[in-house]
Amino acid sequence: MSSLLEVQGISVTFDGFKAINDLSFEISLPELRAIIGPNGAGKTTFMDIVTGKTRPDEGTVRWGDLGRSLLTKSEAQIAQEGIGRKFQRPTVFEDQTVWDNLRVALKKPRGPVSAIFDRVTETDRTRIADIAAEIGLTDRLSDMASILSHGQKQWLEIGMLLAQDPKLLLVDEPAAGMTSEEREHTTTLLKRLAETHAVVVVEHDMEFVRRLDCRVTVLHEGSVLAEGSLDHVMKDERVIDVYLGR
């Protein structure tokens, strides 16, 4: 199975602090991966580099079968390549319905002319219905996003990412603030998405990571400290020392 994303030897320094230090990482399509590590380990900066928000001082970030460099591309171009990111706090349009949120997110040509002639086609309607079913919000399509629960807003934002037709989903702490029922639904959703996508989940909650039942990458001081199953990395003495405690 060839890599979808291959990061090699990236480093970046902010004001003398090395946030990422010779970090290498790769993920295939499809695959589910969890990234864990203490605060300041470089998890957010890593995602910033992959999505083009931050440029590394050195190293390579290659994408797709042809191994094209992402470092020459803008954030918008990287999103168009098929990389979607969901931040910890949901960023949905609260004053719009669930349906409208998904419609706005659909992958379509952007620009003034496109906006003028934008029409909702039957294909669009089918796509919106399919995404709503995928994320479990079919019966909430006509509701305003503002009245959704925290968990439902998280699912809607994942749905908005899916509307962009991504190959790779970067999901930041999806379980935070959810009820146990919502966490169970989120686990099922992410595992199902990983059957057809590459999904990277950054998470602090070890019980949630265990439910994902996937390969885990542990970051520490901007580098990969350990990698493997959750049981494997939790037995690693270095991981115990820097993250899990004794």
Side-chain angles (χ1 to χ4, degrees):
M1 193 161 42
S2 60
S3 297
L4 176 67
L5 175 73
E6 187 172 346
V7 175
Q8 288 289 340
I10 55 169
S11 296
V12 65
T13 301
F14 301 118
D15 298 325
F17 170 69
K18 204 152 196 176
I20 297 290
N21 183 17
D22 193 26
L23 187 153
S24 295
F25 174 94
E26 60 182 276
I27 188 168
S28 302
L29 178 69
E31 184 181 347
L32 177 60
R33 181 78 61 86
I35 295 181
I36 65 174
N39 289 331
K43 302 183 297 292
T44 299
T45 305
F46 165 73
M47 290 195 290
D48 286 346
I49 290 171
V50 171
T51 55
K53 185 177 180 182
T54 296
R55 300 293 180 193
D57 301 324
E58 55 188 85
T60 60
V61 181
R62 302 205 171 277
W63 172 255
D65 294 338
L66 301 177
R68 298 186 303 278
S69 174
L70 292 182
L71 298 183
T72 59
K73 298 183 183 295
S74 67
E75 288 184 70
Q77 288 171 327
I78 289 173
Q80 289 167 359
E81 284 281 336
I83 297 178
R85 180 177 184 180
K86 196 201 85 57
F87 292 87
Q88 184 177 352
R89 292 181 180 275
T91 52
V92 300
F93 299 109
E94 301 255 347
D95 59 346
Q96 302 287 325
T97 64
V98 171
W99 193 91
D100 283 329
N101 270 271
L102 294 175
R103 182 188 67 81
V104 166
L106 285 174
K107 189 173 186 178
K108 287 189 166 189
R110 304 291 180 189
V113 176
S114 302
I116 292 170
F117 294 103
D118 183 34
R119 297 287 183 273
V120 180
T121 66
E122 201 55 45
T123 302
D124 294 339
R125 293 182 190 281
T126 300
R127 180 76 179 125
I128 291 169
D130 288 346
I131 293 170
E134 181 77 60
I135 60 178
L137 292 180
T138 297
D139 59 346
R140 306 303 299 269
L141 278 170
S142 60
D143 291 344
M144 301 298 284
S146 58
I147 69 169
L148 298 179
S149 70
H150 173 73
Q152 289 168 332
K153 287 177 184 175
Q154 298 277 30
W155 306 334
L156 175 55
E157 189 168 22
I158 290 173
M160 292 169 73
L161 283 185
L162 292 177
Q164 290 291 306
D165 199 22
K167 294 184 179 71
L168 170 64
L169 290 164
L170 303 173
V171 185
D172 193 6
E173 293 196 45
M178 286 191 176
T179 65
S180 57
E181 190 176 326
E182 288 173 339
R183 287 152 64 92
E184 193 170 324
H185 177 93
T186 303
T187 304
T188 303
L189 173 59
L190 292 172
K191 290 176 80 166
R192 191 167 62 238
L193 290 177
E195 293 173 4
T196 52
H197 300 75
V199 181
V200 174
V201 179
V202 171
E203 187 55 73
H204 283 289
D205 187 321
M206 289 299 99
E207 184 52 43
F208 186 76
V209 172
R210 182 169 294 285
R211 289 183 180 203
L212 291 177
D213 188 26
C214 65
R215 188 173 180 83
V216 176
T217 299
V218 185
L219 298 189
H220 175 57
E221 294 182 346
S223 300
V224 174
L225 183 65
E227 207 163 62
S229 69
L230 183 60
D231 285 337
H232 172 78
V233 301
M234 288 181 74
K235 291 173 185 170
D236 189 304
E237 290 291 326
R238 299 167 302 167
V239 176
I240 294 169
D241 285 341
V242 305
Y243 187 43
L244 301 174
R246 291 190 179 274

